[in-house]
């Protein structure tokens, strides 16, 4: 004869399982944050070394006046299938409007940009979005609004049919 677990014990077991999952998730985030802190320390040390070397040059340059140049990387974390869902969501939100590839990529970055994710080159991300859009087009879900053999930016919308 099987005994029924009391609701109070069931609640405690569920609470414990959820807390354990949160602790593991937080520890994983902490590990990644420590990696980022280490990466930051290395970058700051390299910058300081370049600043010291620049000051040794006979032509004086105020390093504080040198504007930062944006990296060719974004930090993004996409589980399997999420890129496709994001592209489709972007086009659904545009409600039939023609959307450029640049806008689709910007939507994906805005939606999934994450400080704790791995760095991905913008070129690789653009290629991934482009390949995803082409797959969706071949499946008949998207409509192309540009000549396929042109060098102009891709323009897309959801297929109304």
């Amino acid at each position: 004869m099987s005994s029924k677990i009391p609701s109070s014990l069931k609640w405690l077991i569920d609470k414990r399982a959820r807390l354990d999952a949160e602790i593991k998730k937080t520890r994983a985030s902490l590990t990644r944050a420590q990696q980022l802190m280490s990466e930051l320390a290395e970058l700051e040390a390299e910058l300081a070394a370049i600043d010291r070397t620049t000051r040794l040059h006979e032509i004086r340059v105020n390093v504080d006046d040198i504007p930062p140049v944006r990296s060719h990387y974004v930090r993004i974390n996409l589980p399997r299938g999420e890129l496709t869902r994001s592209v489709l969501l972007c086009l659904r939100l545009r409600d039939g409007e023609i959307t450029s590839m640049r806008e689709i990529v910007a939507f994906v970055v805005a939606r999934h940009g994450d400080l704790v994710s791995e760095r991905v080159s913008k070129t690789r991300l653009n290629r991934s979005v482009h390949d995803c859009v082409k797959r969706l087009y071949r499946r008949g879900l998207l409509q192309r609004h540009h000549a396929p053999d042109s060098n102009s930016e891709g323009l897309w919308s959801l297929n109304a049919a």
Side-chain angles (χ1 to χ4, degrees):
M1 183 161 140
S2 66
S3 62
K4 185 176 177 185
I5 298 174
S7 62
S8 58
L9 180 58
K10 195 172 189 177
W11 179 86
L12 282 172
I13 291 169
D14 182 65
K15 183 71 172 172
R16 190 215 179 273
R18 291 177 191 278
L19 287 172
D20 190 34
E22 280 300 312
I23 288 169
K24 288 180 178 163
K25 185 170 82 172
T26 303
R27 282 194 175 135
S29 294
L30 181 59
T31 300
R32 183 63 186 135
Q34 289 168 338
Q35 290 170 348
L36 285 173
M37 292 297 290
S38 175
E39 183 181 327
L40 177 62
E42 289 173 19
L43 291 170
E44 287 175 335
E46 189 175 340
L47 180 63
I50 290 173
D51 287 352
R52 283 191 302 277
T53 305
T54 303
R55 288 187 185 101
L56 295 174
H57 200 280
E58 65 184 53
I59 299 174
R60 297 290 173 217
V61 175
N62 184 356
V63 294
D64 295 329
D65 291 340
I66 301 172
V69 176
R70 291 189 64 142
S71 171
H72 294 286
Y73 292 93
V74 291
R75 291 187 182 274
I76 198 153
N77 182 18
L78 293 175
R80 179 172 169 73
E82 189 58 37
L83 182 58
T84 300
R85 284 188 285 277
S86 293
V87 168
L88 290 172
L89 177 62
C90 174
L91 294 170
R92 273 189 210 108
L93 292 173
R94 298 299 304 249
D95 199 26
E97 286 182 41
I98 296 172
T99 307
S100 70
M101 183 65 74
R102 186 178 338 112
E103 292 171 313
I104 296 170
V105 171
F107 179 85
V108 170
V109 170
R111 187 159 191 244
H112 298 287
D114 186 355
L115 292 176
V116 299
S117 298
E118 295 298 318
R119 290 181 355 165
V120 176
S121 77
K122 289 180 185 175
T123 304
R124 189 169 137 214
L125 177 64
N126 284 334
R127 172 57 45 202
S128 295
V129 172
H130 179 77
D131 291 345
C132 177
V133 166
K134 280 179 26 182
R135 280 191 307 274
L136 292 169
Y137 173 72
R138 281 190 222 111
R139 287 174 44 197
L141 296 172
L142 300 186
Q143 184 174 354
R144 183 191 318 245
H145 297 277
H146 63 281
D149 54 354
S150 73
N151 286 337
S152 61
E153 181 177 22
L155 301 171
W156 304 91
S157 68
L158 284 176
N159 196 349

